[in-house]
């Protein structure tokens, strides 16, 4: 009886050690390292990994954008665990190409909870993007990417406080006129 308990305890201990080793191998000291070495990130993004655009890194959560070979925007959500950073999810979508400035957001944005939404905007036409009335942050792509396709474009993103299945998205100019609505 005692031998069975010891064997069961050893098996459980080996399972826990294995899980910790897996977590350790999948974690990195920097978000950029986690993106570069994540086995689920496509090769196309890995090639362009040096073109990561930091959005925010607060506590144990980070959100970055990258551009893949097809010049499509990719949202990358990373979390910091016990051993370092690892990619939690990647969000790409049809129509997030740098050559088409007005995009509708991929439903769910960076996660399955429909909290983070993002898209592209023509920064020369739009002064702000509003999602359900909340002003989205805008990051000029040409400040980070040395590509002609990035000139005049901005990525906009918002992290809502509550889930939104069908957000109202409006882009407004400097005078407050709506120039795009979804």
């Amino acid at each position: 009886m005692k031998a069975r308990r010891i064997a069961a305890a050893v098996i459980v201990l080996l399972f826990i050690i294995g899980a910790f080793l897996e977590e350790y191998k999948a974690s990195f000291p920097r978000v950029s390292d986690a993106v570069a070495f994540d086995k689920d990130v496509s090769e196309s993004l890995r090639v362009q990994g040096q073109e990561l655009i930091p959005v925010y890194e607060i506590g144990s959560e980070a959100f970055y954008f990258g551009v893949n070979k097809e010049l499509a925007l990719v949202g990358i959500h990373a979390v910091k665990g016990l051993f370092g950073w690892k990619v939690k999810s990647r969000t790409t979508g049809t129509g997030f190409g740098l050559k088409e400035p007005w995009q509708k957001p991929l439903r769910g944005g960076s996660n399955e909870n429909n909290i983070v939404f993002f898209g592209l905007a023509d920064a020369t036409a739009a002064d702000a993007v509003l999602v359900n009335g909340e002003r989205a942050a805008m990051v000029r792509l040409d400040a980070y990417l040395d590509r002609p396709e990035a000139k005049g474009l901005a990525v906009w993103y918002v992290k809502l406080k509550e889930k939104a299945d069908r957000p109202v998205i409006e882009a407004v100019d400097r005078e407050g006129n709506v120039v795009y609505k979804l």
Side-chain angles (χ1 to χ4, degrees), residues 61-72:
E61 184 178 42
F63 195 72
Y64 280 65
F65 288 111
V67 176
N68 65 18
K69 279 185 184 177
E70 290 78 33
L71 296 179

Side-chain angles (χ1 to χ4, degrees), residues 2 4 31 39 62 68 78 86 100 114 116 142 150 157 161 169 174:
K2 186 176 181 180
R4 281 189 197 158
V31 174
K39 65 182 176 187
N68 65 18
K86 66 185 207 176
E100 301 172 39
N114 289 358
V116 176
D142 49 13
Y157 67 92
K161 294 175 181 73
I169 299 165
R174 291 186 193 276

Side-chain angles (χ1 to χ4, degrees), residues 22 38-39 43 66 83 90 102 113 119 151 155-156 170:
E22 255 331 283
D38 185 86
K39 65 182 176 187
E43 281 297 317
F83 300 110
R90 291 140 311 278
W102 296 113
N113 294 326
K151 187 167 178 61
V155 59
W156 60 264
E170 299 174 303

Side-chain angles (χ1 to χ4, degrees), residues 53-124:
I53 302 164
V55 176
Y56 69 82
E57 192 172 310
I58 302 169
S60 62
E61 184 178 42
F63 195 72
Y64 280 65
F65 288 111
V67 176
N68 65 18
K69 279 185 184 177
E70 290 78 33
L71 296 179
L73 193 64
V74 180
I76 303 160
H77 184 213
V79 292
K80 190 172 188 178
L82 187 60
F83 300 110
W85 291 98
K86 66 185 207 176
V87 174
K88 181 175 181 184
S89 65
R90 291 140 311 278
T91 303
T92 59
T94 57
F96 278 116
L98 297 186
K99 295 181 181 180
E100 301 172 39
W102 296 113
Q103 316 285 335
K104 64 178 165 179
L106 184 66
R107 299 293 180 223
S110 70
N111 59 23
E112 62 279 357
N113 294 326
N114 289 358
I115 291 176
V116 176
F117 292 90
F118 64 91
L120 292 171
D122 179 347
T124 61

